[in-house]
Amino acid sequence: MNQQFSIPTALCLPVPDIEALIQGQTIAALPRMFIRPGQRFALYPADSSASIKAWAKCELCQILDETKPLEILSKLTIWTPKVLKEILQQQQYLFLAYLRVYQLPQLQEISVNPKIQEKLGKFVSLPNSLTVSEVNPVMTDRTFAQRKHQLENRQPPLYPELEELQSAIASLTISQPAAKQLDHDIKVFLGWSSDKLITQPDPNLAWINDIVKLGDRSIELEEKKSNYQAGTDFENVVRDSLELLGFTIDYTHKGGAGGLDLFCSKPYPLFGECKAGRKIPNDTAMQLLNLGMLRRPDLFNQAAKLIIGPGEPTTQLQDAAKIQGMAIIKPETLQKLVKLQSNHRNSVDLFKLKEYLKAGQSDEELEKYIDQVYTDISLRSQIITVPKELSEQDNETSKVTHPSFTVTEIRVHYNATHNPRLNDELVHDLLIELSSPLTGYLGRIKGSDWKSDRFYFLRDLLVN
């Protein structure tokens, strides 16, 4: 892979065609002559920039005439049937070159060819030869082989709607970060990119890493904040945390002197008291009781009650919290819970969470819940890996581009390498969940009954 090659020539192509090749949207080009398989050349843009970003090796070149079906070819490439027909009318034949594309480590600026438009689809000599290597392919060997097989056999695309969506948002990727991420994910999903689906860290959630610091007030010394301001900062980050978990915060309760620190109205009422600092005062439980009964006496008795603060609660506070049905947790536990929700959105079930908010110190119970959620996510990640591994095995022995597998095949492969062993019914339930349009980790080919359903791999589930 590190072998270097000297390239003296370049194939001149329209800028959109080169960009589509670099992005993995297509593996084909339309030169004006036959290209010998194995030939290497740079990709020269037919505009005034004269910046070379990539080079290519021809893997196959086909000569097509008007008798060949253009509709499917159009769906597998970037050209409309109208454009393909116009080219055929001009030169009687289409030269379809299958190109394995490699990106250059940096742009190569060259002098502009004044007659570049006349050279479109043809080779031009470079002022200086380029030294290149195969270190940075646009797609992996496996992905390219799949795409080549699909194009060579004129197999229609599996997801034309997604391809249309990608084309629609492509122009937004320069100015819209969200569009850029969606564009990237769609390309990976379609196989246009060999990168993994990546969840970019959200800069707006950087505060999650400060929950513990704000709770124990170590940040107070660093930033010379008053006790009042440090306490307010902790209350604010707790509200942000509960809101991220899915609670609806009632912002009429904002703490302060004589005020209730927090009240959540949905999905069930929750009253909370936040105590930043090294210790939780003994009277915290009584304070929460008095403020809760004063502000919302209609809801307090049946509501969830939460005290959040660092340090070990005293025996007096523990006893009072157990009598009043109040859970006590540390900022560390809240931070773990919020990170779980941030990494795996909607993984925290607030009604199940309520079951773990035991009266008294609840950190150990909540740790059990967090561990259970990660175990459930890991199981699903392992199930997703099975059709991926099976498809890789099939690709080594056959030319099936998108192999699919039955519930039993997936269950047998899973049980051979994992414990505890699963039955077909449970595996099918998991496969249905993972092939839902709302998750999209697997694809499903519906059979006459659940045992004849078939599933195929779409994208990984990374456990963070």
Side-chain angles (χ1 to χ4, degrees):
M1 288 295 289
N2 291 326
Q3 183 180 357
Q4 293 187 328
F5 310 94
S6 180
I7 294 180
T9 58
L11 178 64
C12 183
L13 294 174
V15 173
D17 293 25
I18 292 178
E19 289 301 318
L21 286 164
I22 292 174
Q23 294 173 13
Q25 186 176 352
T26 186
I27 63 167
L30 292 176
R32 292 188 179 178
M33 69 293 180
F34 184 84
I35 299 180
R36 173 177 52 82
Q39 187 171 351
R40 299 181 178 90
F41 42 85
L43 298 178
Y44 192 121
D47 67 357
S48 59
S49 68
S51 297
I52 295 180
K53 299 179 181 180
W55 69 277
K57 180 172 69 173
C58 181
E59 298 289 343
L60 177 68
C61 192
Q62 295 176 321
I63 303 175
L64 311 176
D65 57 27
E66 60 184 7
T67 64
K68 303 298 182 182
L70 299 181
E71 291 294 333
I72 295 181
L73 180 61
S74 172
K75 293 178 180 179
L76 293 170
T77 59
I78 60 172
W79 307 289
T80 65
K82 180 181 178 181
V83 169
L84 295 174
K85 289 177 183 178
E86 289 176 352
I87 295 175
L88 276 174
Q89 290 173 356
Q90 294 172 4
Q91 58 189 44
Q92 295 185 324
Y93 295 100
L94 285 176
F95 297 97
L96 185 68
Y98 294 56
L99 303 185
R100 185 73 191 274
V101 179
Y102 301 84
Q103 287 187 284
L104 298 177
Q106 58 187 18
L107 292 180
Q108 296 292 326
E109 302 287 348
I110 61 174
S111 57
V112 178
N113 189 320
K115 298 182 179 180
I116 193 63
Q117 291 299 322
E118 298 176 11
K119 299 294 184 179
L120 195 62
K122 301 178 181 178
F123 285 107
V124 295
S125 297
L126 294 173
N128 298 294
S129 295
L130 295 179
T131 300
V132 301
S133 71
E134 298 180 353
V135 169
N136 194 19
V138 167
M139 58 186 67
T140 64
D141 293 346
R142 175 175 173 267
T143 301
F144 180 81
Q146 289 179 338
R147 298 285 298 283
K148 179 175 178 290
H149 177 78
Q150 183 184 26
L151 180 58
E152 194 172 357
N153 291 276
R154 306 295 189 265
Q155 297 174 341
L158 293 176
Y159 312 105
E161 297 86 359
L162 276 181
E163 294 188 14
E164 291 179 10
L165 175 61
Q166 189 279 329
S167 298
I169 67 172
S171 61
L172 302 175
T173 58
I174 297 176
S175 59
Q176 300 292 333
K180 185 176 182 179
Q181 181 63 38
L182 178 59
D183 179 65
H184 170 270
D185 289 351
I186 292 175
K187 288 177 182 176
V188 176
F189 185 92
L190 293 171
W192 295 357
S193 172
S194 56
D195 295 337
K196 291 184 177 181
L197 288 174
I198 301 173
T199 302
Q200 298 291 344
D202 187 342
N204 295 321
L205 298 180
W207 55 266
I208 293 174
N209 297 315
D210 292 332
I211 295 174
V212 172
K213 288 198 297 182
L214 290 169
D216 65 20
R217 288 190 183 178
S218 61
I219 200 171
E220 176 188 349
L221 299 176
E222 298 169 10
E223 301 182 5
K224 298 182 180 179
K225 292 186 177 182
S226 66
N227 288 347
Y228 176 81
Q229 186 59 53
T232 300
D233 289 347
F234 184 53
E235 291 173 10
N236 290 336
V237 82
V238 170
R239 289 193 196 96
D240 291 341
S241 299
L242 295 178
E243 199 163 42
L244 182 62
L245 291 174
F247 286 101
T248 299
I249 307 295
D250 184 343
Y251 280 93
T252 60
H253 302 285
K254 295 185 178 180
L260 181 65
D261 285 350
L262 65 91
F263 171 66
C264 304
S265 58
K266 295 178 181 178
Y268 49 80
L270 181 146
F271 292 81
E273 191 70 16
C274 308
K275 294 297 180 183
R278 299 299 180 185
K279 295 181 180 180
I280 306 176
N282 284 337
D283 63 351
T284 302
M286 190 58 63
Q287 186 179 356
L288 178 56
L289 172 64
N290 292 337
L291 290 173
M293 289 299 293
L294 177 65
R295 306 298 180 187
R296 297 301 301 266
D298 56 324
L299 297 175
F300 187 78
N301 286 334
Q302 301 303 319
K305 306 167 190 70
L306 185 61
I307 297 172
I308 305 174
E312 294 296 330
T314 63
T315 301
Q316 181 181 340
L317 177 57
Q318 284 269 31
D319 292 342
K322 291 176 181 177
I323 293 172
Q324 301 300 333
M326 300 174 181
I328 305 172
I329 69 171
K330 296 178 180 179
E332 290 89 343
T333 304
L334 179 63
Q335 185 166 308
K336 289 179 183 179
L337 195 61
V338 175
K339 279 190 173 182
L340 168 61
Q341 178 76 341
S342 173
N343 291 333
H344 303 283
R345 287 302 178 95
N346 303 317
S347 60
V348 175
D349 183 328
L350 294 182
F351 286 98
K352 289 184 179 178
L353 178 68
K354 187 178 181 181
E355 298 173 8
Y356 289 84
L357 293 175
K358 305 295 185 182
Q361 193 76 51
S362 292
D363 295 288
E364 187 174 337
E365 288 296 316
L366 285 178
E367 290 277 0
K368 291 179 183 178
Y369 175 68
I370 294 170
D371 290 344
Q372 183 59 54
V373 174
Y374 274 115
T375 298
D376 292 342
I377 295 172
S378 295
L379 171 61
R380 284 151 179 79
S381 178
Q382 292 162 357
I383 289 292
I384 291 167
T385 302
V386 172
K388 179 182 181 180
E389 292 174 348
L390 290 172
S391 65
E392 289 172 348
Q393 292 175 7
D394 271 19
N395 283 326
E396 294 176 358
T397 58
S398 68
K399 293 186 177 181
V400 180
T401 305
H402 289 284
S404 57
F405 307 95
T406 65
V407 176
T408 300
E409 289 173 325
I410 293 172
R411 187 261 303 163
V412 169
H413 186 85
Y414 176 87
N415 285 348
T417 53
H418 295 86
N419 280 309
R421 295 188 174 185
L422 308 177
N423 58 40
D424 279 358
E425 289 81 1
L426 177 55
V427 171
H428 184 259
D429 288 345
L430 292 170
L431 293 171
I432 291 296
E433 174 190 328
L434 296 169
S435 61
S436 161
L438 299 178
T439 54
Y441 293 104
L442 301 175
R444 178 191 179 198
I445 303 172
K446 186 174 175 58
S448 57
D449 55 44
W450 70 268
K451 291 186 178 180
S452 58
D453 283 353
R454 300 185 69 87
F455 300 87
Y456 51 91
F457 173 79
L458 291 178
R459 63 188 179 97
D460 289 301
L461 169 57
L462 303 179
V463 183
N464 298 318

